[in-house]
Amino acid sequence: MIKDEIKNLIEKAIKDFTKELVSFSVEMPSDKNNGDYSTNVALILSKKLGKNPAEVANEIKEKIGENKLFSKIEVAGPGFVNFFVADKVFIDILKDVDKNYGKTKSFDHSKKIIIDYTDPNPFKEFHIGHLMSNAIGESLSRIFEFQGAKIKRVCYQGDVGLHVASVIAEKLWTQKDDEIGVWVDGLSGTAIAYVGGVKRSKEDSEFTEFVKKVNKKIYDRTDPEVNKLYDSGKELSLKHFDEIYKKLGTKFDWLIFESETGPVGKRIVEKGLKNEIFERGDKGSIIFKGEEYGLHTRVFINSEGLPTYEAKDLGLAEIKYKKYKYDKSVIITGNEVNDYFKVMLCAMDKVLPDLAKKTKHISHGMLRLPEGKMSSRTGKVITGESLIEQVQELVKEKIKDRNLSEQESKEIIESVAIGAIRYSILKQSAGSDIIYDFDKSISFDGDSGPYLQYAYTRAQSVLQKAKDEGVKTSFKKLPSEITQLEKMISYFPEAILRAEQNYEPHFIALYLTELAGIFNNYYSKNKIVDVADELSPYRIALTEAFSVVMKNGLWMLGIKTLKKM
């Protein structure tokens, strides 16, 4: 990367100034008049040396001297050193753009990473929060995968616990004789039972006790009727979730369930109790005193001897590592469980220290529609598929007058809708809340997924026209001056590296949006395919490079590319 080369040149230049390590930045200035890259190293060094920053900047400039990497170096403002990269450098990069362009040498390509995301619970609906987790998790998986890491995808699901017991208990409590043991309404029946069970638990203490008994039976597998309802309801949920995953383009390597992690987590906690990491709480429960570490106390084994979410997460870490000897485990959840994870990871550090060091928790904000917050407990849940369907209807209306076959129309509607939702989630930092803007999300002009898809499709159309007219790519005849498009293409590896290092796909989303805008501007100002123009082969090569970068970048965001829109 050009940025790395500049940083190396600066480090060599300042060795005569100081033997200490100096932390400085090399960034792209927002004002293009200030060069392609700029550094604040002189401002940092001047404080250590007791010199004027501009004087230090000029000394650094002299030390670097003439270099084929630059057309010129300037000192500006209070002491910034601005680098103007030579056109030839950008063109040489352009020549090397292929399907692997963007991979960075600094990444450990042998790294094994396991990523845990989406995580919808059986017996409950797949809500729009799961779309948030899926978009972020799938994108991170692809970013690391593109860099060469060996990725395993995990979906961790709560198939036991009071939320499941409430569903089964409500069904048993209200079912008619001809409905015994059968979910007559299919999947919607489990969702209705969940809402009813939560409501009844608040109003009826007898029912609350019944839920506890059912919960024990689910764990023990001692009641045939409970087992039948549980098994059939879980199967319905998993089949439904699988249909959604296919739409979203996600394929998990493993589905792991709380029914598996519970016994393992319980064993870990009981061992930790003997080692005095955990202690006894009220009524025989086992707790972790988080206050000793500036956190709060949490129960890991409840008074009935059952493992809680906390213990199950410890079990999950061990199970994942037995399945796959990972170097890094990334867990993606909503930010409402941030405090929970602080305590759980602190406890993990005491009982499973090696795995705790490998674990990275990433939290995301809430996805809301203009109507307000959703809640599966009250039945006002906004399902993921309902959002997808609403966006698909809007896309369908938007493209209705285009000359498309039924198959083309179907592919475009689904791909554009998923792309619109994914981009809306990924265009900003993972921790931010999002209010979904329907009109903006499906716009073919501006800050949206369809805008990026359309820019790629436009480039593909240009390349097809070039092929039809027999104009091939070539770098024999070059322009007297390159444009911002060549420069922007060269920044792609930097965007990927930044996204990877910060676990933030939005750096790629923002980069692609700017790149698409620059290409569209280039397209409007230049006739790219022209048999009579000796620069046409170069412009086609530039369009091809743009197309490769867009395809790679959109793939990393989990957004499909289309040849026709």
Side-chain angles (χ1 to χ4, degrees):
M1 291 187 294
I2 298 173
K3 183 176 180 177
D4 290 341
E5 291 185 59
I6 294 173
K7 199 159 191 177
N8 289 335
L9 286 171
I10 294 169
E11 285 172 350
K12 287 178 183 176
I14 64 174
K15 277 184 179 178
D16 292 340
F17 294 95
T18 177
K19 292 181 180 178
E20 295 179 30
L21 288 173
V22 179
S23 178
F24 61 90
S25 67
V26 176
E27 303 295 342
M28 290 177 282
S30 54
D31 185 347
K32 303 306 176 188
N33 292 320
N34 292 328
D36 299 301
Y37 290 90
S38 182
T39 181
N40 65 346
V41 65
L43 299 169
I44 305 297
L45 262 181
S46 65
K47 294 175 184 177
K48 293 179 179 290
L49 302 175
K51 288 184 175 181
N52 181 285
E55 181 186 346
V56 176
N58 276 298
E59 288 179 18
I60 292 170
K61 176 187 171 183
E62 292 301 316
K63 281 280 183 184
I64 293 173
E66 288 188 11
N67 190 294
K68 62 182 180 180
L69 189 62
F70 311 114
S71 59
K72 63 177 177 177
I73 303 173
E74 289 183 349
V75 173
F80 289 101
V81 183
N82 297 335
F83 300 91
F84 295 78
V85 178
D87 284 1
K88 184 181 182 302
V89 174
F90 292 115
I91 290 171
D92 286 344
I93 289 171
L94 204 63
K95 291 175 182 177
D96 290 334
V97 173
D98 60 14
K99 64 180 181 179
N100 293 313
Y101 176 64
K103 290 183 179 180
T104 53
K105 293 178 182 178
S106 62
F107 188 82
D108 179 1
H109 301 297
S110 65
K111 189 178 283 189
K112 295 179 179 179
I113 304 175
I114 194 165
I115 304 188
D116 171 358
Y117 60 101
T118 310
D119 304 345
N121 290 331
F123 300 92
K124 293 175 70 176
E125 291 176 295
F126 189 105
H127 57 66
I128 57 176
H130 296 128
L131 287 178
M132 282 275 283
S133 176
N134 182 271
I136 295 164
E138 183 61 31
S139 183
L140 286 175
S141 297
R142 293 183 181 206
I143 290 166
F144 291 125
E145 219 161 32
F146 183 81
Q147 291 279 57
K150 297 170 179 67
I151 301 296
K152 294 295 182 185
R153 294 164 171 82
V154 165
C155 186
Y156 177 50
Q157 296 167 285
D159 65 332
V160 290
L162 289 176
H163 72 281
V164 176
S166 293
V167 177
I168 306 296
E170 176 71 6
K171 172 66 175 169
L172 292 168
W173 195 271
T174 59
Q175 68 183 350
K176 299 169 186 175
D177 291 342
D178 59 344
E179 296 177 0
I180 292 175
V182 180
W183 297 102
V184 290
D185 297 317
L187 191 63
S188 62
T190 64
I192 293 166
Y194 177 73
V195 174
V198 171
K199 186 173 185 292
R200 199 181 302 277
S201 292
K202 293 177 180 178
E203 300 170 351
D204 189 334
S205 58
E206 186 182 350
F207 179 76
T208 303
E209 290 304 310
F210 181 57
V211 170
K212 291 179 182 178
K213 290 176 183 176
V214 170
N215 192 37
K216 198 92 166 60
K217 287 177 180 179
I218 291 171
Y219 274 98
D220 297 342
R221 302 285 295 180
T222 53
D223 187 316
E225 190 178 351
V226 169
N227 292 346
K228 185 179 179 182
L229 281 172
Y230 173 84
D231 292 342
S232 60
K234 182 176 174 179
E235 185 181 2
L236 280 169
S237 292
L238 295 183
K239 280 183 178 178
H240 177 62
F241 294 158
D242 197 46
E243 290 169 5
I244 299 172
Y245 302 149
K246 285 175 183 174
K247 275 189 178 182
L248 296 173
T250 293
K251 187 174 182 180
F252 291 105
D253 295 283
W254 295 297
L255 302 180
I256 301 178
F257 299 96
E258 287 184 18
S259 55
E260 301 171 62
T261 63
V264 179
K266 186 176 181 181
R267 173 181 53 76
I268 293 169
V269 173
E270 288 172 344
K271 184 179 178 182
L273 180 65
K274 291 177 184 177
N275 296 332
E276 299 183 347
I277 294 167
F278 298 95
E279 59 184 79
R280 288 287 176 188
D282 294 339
K283 299 178 182 179
S285 63
I286 301 177
I287 62 173
F288 179 75
K289 277 286 188 73
E291 283 84 358
E292 295 176 14
Y293 308 95
L295 301 168
H296 62 278
T297 294
R298 293 197 76 93
V299 177
F300 277 66
I301 305 291
N302 66 23
S303 57
E304 294 179 359
L306 297 176
T308 61
Y309 292 122
E310 292 82 347
K312 292 169 188 171
D313 269 320
L314 296 179
L316 174 64
E318 190 168 283
I319 287 172
K320 285 194 294 190
Y321 196 70
K322 282 182 179 177
K323 285 181 178 288
Y324 191 59
K325 299 293 189 288
Y326 55 77
D327 300 301
K328 179 69 73 175
S329 172
V330 181
I331 303 169
I332 295 154
T333 73
N335 57 19
E336 69 273 11
V337 293
N338 281 357
D339 289 341
Y340 159 86
F341 258 89
K342 287 177 185 176
V343 179
M344 193 280 294
L345 289 172
C346 182
M348 187 190 291
D349 188 51
K350 310 305 169 191
V351 291
L352 301 169
D354 291 342
L355 298 188
K357 289 183 181 73
K358 297 173 187 286
T359 302
K360 170 78 173 176
H361 174 230
I362 296 170
S363 62
H364 59 76
M366 184 74 71
L367 176 62
R368 295 184 175 91
L369 300 192
E371 300 94 292
K373 188 178 178 181
M374 56 162 195
S375 170
S376 57
R377 290 180 179 274
T378 62
K380 295 177 182 176
V381 65
I382 302 163
T383 65
E385 54 266 49
S386 71
L387 176 58
I388 293 170
E389 286 166 7
Q390 284 183 67
V391 178
Q392 283 181 329
E393 285 301 313
L394 291 172
V395 176
K396 185 178 179 180
E397 180 65 24
K398 198 174 186 72
I399 66 169
K400 67 180 181 181
D401 296 328
R402 302 191 180 197
N403 185 26
L404 300 166
S405 69
E406 187 177 340
Q407 183 57 38
E408 286 173 334
S409 182
K410 183 181 178 184
E411 183 186 2
I412 290 169
I413 288 167
E414 186 165 295
S415 298
V416 170
I418 297 296
I421 293 168
R422 282 199 183 283
Y423 181 86
S424 295
I425 292 168
L426 297 174
K427 71 178 181 179
Q428 55 192 18
S429 176
S432 305
D433 285 353
I434 298 167
I435 296 178
Y436 193 84
D437 187 322
F438 283 94
D439 290 335
K440 192 173 183 181
S441 77
I442 62 162
S443 172
F444 281 32
D445 182 23
D447 187 16
S448 73
Y451 175 69
L452 302 187
Q453 290 171 307
Y454 191 67
Y456 173 81
T457 302
R458 171 177 275 174
Q460 286 296 295
S461 177
V462 169
L463 295 174
Q464 185 59 52
K465 184 181 179 184
K467 186 178 180 181
D468 294 342
E469 296 187 16
V471 185
K472 296 180 180 179
T473 63
S474 172
F475 290 94
K476 286 182 180 178
K477 181 65 179 177
L478 301 175
S480 57
E481 188 177 347
I482 65 166
T483 69
Q484 195 59 33
L485 182 56
E486 288 94 336
K487 294 182 179 184
M488 197 66 193
I489 287 170
S490 77
Y491 302 148
F492 185 46
E494 294 179 26
I496 297 172
L497 186 63
R498 200 172 180 191
E500 173 248 308
Q501 290 178 337
N502 293 281
Y503 296 85
E504 284 282 12
H506 87 275
F507 288 118
I508 293 175
L510 295 178
Y511 166 83
L512 293 180
T513 304
E514 188 174 354
L515 177 66
I518 291 169
F519 172 74
N520 286 334
N521 185 51
Y522 182 87
Y523 176 87
S524 68
K525 290 182 177 179
N526 295 277
K527 187 176 182 182
I528 298 173
V529 181
D530 187 348
V531 178
D533 189 342
E534 60 182 356
L535 280 175
S536 186
Y538 172 82
R539 292 187 185 124
I540 294 164
L542 179 56
T543 302
E544 190 170 68
F546 163 78
S547 182
V548 170
V549 169
M550 283 300 293
K551 186 173 185 176
N552 286 349
L554 286 170
W555 181 82
M556 280 183 264
L557 298 182
I559 297 175
K560 283 186 178 179
T561 51
L562 297 160
K563 288 189 175 180
K564 193 173 184 180
M565 282 181 73

